Every structure is written in C-alpha cells, then in structure tokens.
Amino acid sequence: MRYIHGFRDGAAAAALEQLIGSEVDSNREYHLMEFCGGHTHAIFRYGVEDLLPPNVRLVHGPGCPVCVLAMPRLDAAIELAIRRDITLVSYGDMVRVPASRRRSLLKARAQGADVRMVYSALEALEIAAAHREREIVFFAIGFETTTPATAHLILEAHRRGLKNLTVYCNHVVTPAAIQSILDAPGAGDANQVRIDGFIGPSHVSAVIGSAPYEAFSQNYHKPVVIAGFEPLDVMQAVFMLIRQINDGRACVENQFTRGVTRAGNIKAQAIVSEVLELRPNFEWRGLGRLARSAMRIKSAYAQYDAEKRFVMTETSVRENAACQCPSIIRGQKKPTDCTIFGTVCTPRSPIGSCMVSAEGVCAAYYKYRRTRNGLPA
Ligand code: SF4
C-alpha cells in the first residue's frame, strides 16, 4: 500500500491543484478526454473534477470493455451458454450486462445454464481439465490489458493437449477507438464533442507501449499523456496536457513512468501475435463498425476458436430507445442527459451497458454524483 498512499496524498493534491490553476489560461477552455473507465472511476471517486478550474472539462471516453461490447456478440454468448453441453466462463462484470430482450448471462445461469465467473483466464484451463466431458468456452473480452492472458490461455491449452476448451474472442484495440473518435463526423465542430487532448490508459500502455499513440499527436495535433489510475496520477496528467496545449505542442508524454515504456511489454506482444491477429473490422457498441479494431484467433489455432467450432449467429438488435450509451461512449453526452438515469436505470437494474460495469460512466455518476433522492446532481 505504500506505493498507493503517496498518490492519494491530500497535501500533494492541493499543491497540484495550485499548479494547475497557475498554468490554466482563463481565456480558453480545455476539453480533455480520459479514454479509460478506470480513470473515470478514479475521477469521480476522488472528486478530481472539483479540484480543477471550471474551464478545464473532463470528457469521459469509451474505455470500458464491457460497455463497448456489441449486443449481438453478447446474445451469441448467451446462445452458447444455454446449450446443455457447454460451460461458459467469463469475467464477473460480463455476466450482468443486459443483452437483447432483457436477457443476460446471469439470468441464463438462473435458468440452468452453466455460466462461471473467473478472475483469471487461466481458471478456464483448470475447469476444462477437470471437466473433459464438457465443452468449455472462455468468453474473452477486454482491451490490450487482458489480451495477453487470453493468448497465453490458448498456448497453455495447446501445450496440455486440451481438446474441450475454446475461446470466444472479443478483444478490442485502444488506438482504433481513439482514431474513430477523432475521425467522427463533426469531431472538429465546436457543437460536437471537442477534445483538446487525451489521458491515455496506463495498464493498456504497459502492454502496447506509448509509441502507438504518436500517430494522434503527429497526425491530429492532439497531445496524449499516459497516466496511472490514482488521483494524483490523473491530476498530474491534466497539468501535463494543459502545459502542452498552452505551449502549442502535441506529443506523447508518459506520466506513468513507473510502469510504461515506449516499446511496452515485448514478451506479451509476442504471445499475442503468435496466437491472435487483427480482424478486418468489428462492431463496437456506441462506436459502430471500426476497421482493424479487434482481435481474432489465427487459423493455426482454429481448434481453440469458438466461432469456428460452434454455429454462432449474430442478429441485429435495437438498443433501448431511451438509452444514451452510444453518445456517452463517444463523449458527446453525460449520463445526466439520459431521462431514465437513476430512475428506471440503476446498477441493480441496468438498462444500458454503461450502468453495468463499475468502470461505466453511468455507474460512476450513479455512485458518486447522485443527490439523496437518487436523481442526478
Ligand atoms: S443511464 Fe442507463 S439507459 Fe441511460 S445512458 Fe446510462 S446506461 Fe443507458
């Protein structure tokens, strides 16, 4: 814990607050997007926005892996889970996400499906080894942080000769999502979402390095600061972004030097590229179909690919008309713009994906920004 307390220190936060205040130009506005839901959660939990001058706005981005999974992919996972010969294994956040027709993996489990929650991808390996009579499907989701664990799972299954384990691969790619936000129609329009710089995710960057963000600073003139998930990390990143913007600079800076390098984790990257490759395109909830934005299993490991072993259909579905998740994920709206926030849609009864995960923007607003009567502040 001694490595955490220092990054939550009140006196240091007050000093950073002053530093940011002295750097900010009161004649301009700063719109900074924190890409990752982990940052969003830290910002709300520690009240970081309250420490910033009013002309520094934090825009909450799409970096919650549960929130961006397209509903047809989740529907397909539920269809797998209800098969009597299949055990579906996934991370805990995923089981409560609402699918079409108000279904979820949790409800499927209540109706008899064998759905199991795990903390680590490798737990699926042990389940497969212990139940060789069943088909074990690992429902793999996440950004680059969790992708190496899935690739490692496949390599381990191969090494141990397990024939009853497959992976339903839904891993997505951070730079592609940032690119789509920058390329969105109206991205430069003052009436649309305006972003002057990005706070980049440190856990993703520990794997991929800081180099992949350089295209955004070079091609779009947007500064990027890779930051840790403690409140002082975020505040320092805000200060570094404001300083770049004031100087007219746009480069990639690394606040999280304690874990991120320019090259990233070469060994993890090698494991991923051994087993997985980019899909030509992939549907994201809220962002639409994005080119080269997700991973699939290489043909050399096709025997571990659930999409190859089972017949899986993705049907198009309509989101709840009231849900503003797509606009929220793009940073165009806030949860308080949704008419059913905190009333019909709550963490106990989520309508949209942004309310399900602790990293979802709506869940963070609900937990930290409600008034006593449950309505938005
Ligand atoms: S409050 Fe619920 S319904 Fe509204 S945008 Fe958020 S997740 Fe969607």
Side-chain angles (χ1 to χ4, degrees):
M1 289 298 283
R2 69 195 173 101
Y3 295 112
I4 291 178
H5 285 149
F7 293 94
R8 298 177 182 174
D9 181 72
L16 262 173
E17 180 185 4
Q18 274 202 342
L19 202 59
I20 292 169
S22 64
E23 183 67 33
V24 160
D25 179 348
S26 57
N27 295 314
R28 67 189 299 176
E29 290 206 337
Y30 303 83
H31 296 248
L32 312 176
M33 174 176 272
E34 87 274 3
F35 177 84
C36 181
H39 282 138
T40 305
H41 192 76
I43 286 163
F44 284 110
R45 181 176 180 190
Y46 295 102
V48 170
E49 282 182 315
D50 298 337
L51 300 175
L52 302 178
N55 57 333
V56 177
R57 306 258 166 82
L58 296 180
V59 182
H60 315 302
C64 162
V66 167
C67 305
V68 297
L69 184 73
M71 214 188 281
R73 303 283 298 181
L74 178 54
D75 279 346
I78 292 173
E79 291 302 324
L80 277 184
I82 60 180
R83 279 182 48 159
R84 294 175 70 87
D85 58 333
I86 287 180
T87 295
L88 192 100
V89 179
S90 194
Y91 298 121
D93 268 1
M94 205 59 239
V95 301
R96 292 178 56 244
V97 179
S100 66
R101 294 179 277 141
R102 304 216 71 178
R103 298 188 304 169
S104 71
L105 286 169
L106 199 61
K107 287 178 183 170
R109 188 167 77 167
Q111 290 162 359
D114 189 0
V115 177
R116 305 194 191 183
M117 289 177 266
V118 291
Y119 289 105
S120 153
L122 280 184
E123 289 179 58
L125 201 69
E126 302 312 321
I127 295 169
H131 300 280
R132 289 178 187 255
E133 77 289 359
R134 293 188 62 76
E135 291 283 349
I136 311 301
V137 179
F138 180 61
F139 184 19
I141 64 149
F143 286 88
E144 293 91 332
T145 324
T146 51
T147 309
T150 298
H152 182 55
L153 168 67
I154 292 171
L155 287 175
E156 275 299 293
H158 192 57
R159 188 181 66 79
R160 290 170 60 166
L162 284 173
K163 305 263 188 258
N164 63 327
L165 177 74
T166 52
V167 171
Y168 181 32
C169 186
N170 292 274
H171 285 293
V172 286
V173 175
T174 300
I178 295 178
Q179 177 100 35
S180 92
I181 291 166
L182 289 169
D183 288 341
D189 182 343
N191 295 320
Q192 296 285 329
V193 61
R194 173 184 147 190
I195 299 165
D196 300 313
F198 288 93
I199 300 173
S202 56
H203 51 5
V204 163
S205 310
V207 176
I208 66 172
S210 62
Y213 305 95
E214 288 167 5
F216 307 122
S217 56
Q218 287 162 8
N219 302 339
Y220 295 86
H221 200 73
K222 300 291 180 190
V224 179
V225 174
I226 313 295
F229 290 101
E230 294 302 326
L232 296 193
D233 290 322
V234 178
M235 290 185 71
Q236 187 181 3
V238 168
F239 171 70
M240 293 164 77
L241 282 171
I242 290 171
R243 199 171 48 182
Q244 280 201 51
I245 294 165
N246 286 352
D247 292 348
R249 291 183 293 123
C251 59
V252 178
E253 291 183 314
N254 181 12
Q255 182 276 336
F256 199 76
T257 51
R258 58 195 192 274
V260 172
T261 62
R262 184 172 182 274
N265 185 332
I266 303 291
K267 191 170 180 184
Q269 291 168 20
I271 290 172
V272 170
S273 63
E274 163 68 22
V275 180
L276 306 175
E277 63 188 3
L278 282 170
R279 295 172 187 265
N281 56 64
F282 192 73
E283 180 77 24
W284 291 53
R285 201 172 190 173
L287 297 179
R289 192 163 282 279
L290 306 182
R292 300 173 66 77
S293 65
M295 310 301 289
R296 68 182 177 193
I297 297 169
K298 282 183 170 176
S299 57
Y301 294 92
Q303 60 184 303
Y304 303 102
D305 190 343
E307 292 176 82
K308 299 255 168 57
R309 184 172 305 182
F310 306 105
V311 177
M312 300 180 70
T313 46
E314 289 181 35
T315 49
S316 65
V317 289
R318 288 177 60 193
E319 302 274 353
N320 184 302
C323 181
Q324 302 292 322
C325 280
S327 301
I328 289 169
I329 286 169
R330 283 187 176 278
Q332 293 165 335
K333 289 188 176 174
K334 296 195 168 191
T336 43
D337 295 322
C338 174
T339 53
I340 57 174
F341 171 82
T343 53
V344 177
C345 183
T346 67
R348 285 181 68 108
S349 178
I351 301 296
S353 56
C354 297
M355 188 59 95
V356 174
S357 161
E359 294 192 358
V361 185
C362 296
Y365 258 71
Y366 186 87
K367 189 165 184 185
Y368 299 112
R369 278 284 173 94
R370 273 181 315 146
T371 57
R372 273 197 200 141
N373 64 7
L375 295 173

